[in-house]
Amino acid sequence: MIDVSRTGDGDPMQFRVVIRDEDGATRHEVTLRRDFHEAIASGATPEAGVEAAFRFLLDREPKEAILGRFDLAVISSYFPEFPQAIAAYLPERG
């Protein structure tokens, strides 16, 4: 389970993310610039964009390998396909 809570509404927006599974929980503090959110997840809420980014990451690495504090744009440094691939992780719009 991925729980996303917005903790700051500036630019960048700030979020606390808790990932829970049968092995325990990890906590992450992430930031998301408004322009980057519009570029990768336009039409979705920022919270949905953050959750989608974590679902993307969890398909590639265990929750314990995800950085504890980072800006979502840094994901592209590790996974260049991220900006295009995130659309598949966003909730259906319609």
Side-chain angles (χ1 to χ4, degrees), residues 1-77:
M1 180 181 106
I2 302 170
D3 180 40
V4 178
S5 303
R6 193 183 307 202
T7 58
D9 207 26
D11 193 8
M13 296 172 279
Q14 300 171 342
F15 300 87
R16 177 174 300 115
V17 180
V18 179
I19 304 170
R20 290 184 185 88
D21 63 16
E22 62 278 355
D23 296 325
T26 59
R27 288 165 181 73
H28 311 270
E29 301 291 330
V30 298
T31 55
L32 173 59
R33 293 186 333 268
R34 292 179 187 278
D35 63 338
F36 189 70
H37 168 68
E38 285 301 314
I40 65 164
S42 180
T45 66
E47 290 82 359
V50 171
E51 181 175 343
F54 273 80
R55 290 176 52 224
F56 169 90
L57 289 171
L58 289 168
D59 275 353
R60 288 156 179 81
E61 59 189 7
K63 69 184 186 311
E64 294 82 8
I66 299 173
L67 297 172
R69 182 180 301 266
F70 63 98
D71 186 87
L72 254 56
V74 79
I75 296 172
S76 299
S77 299

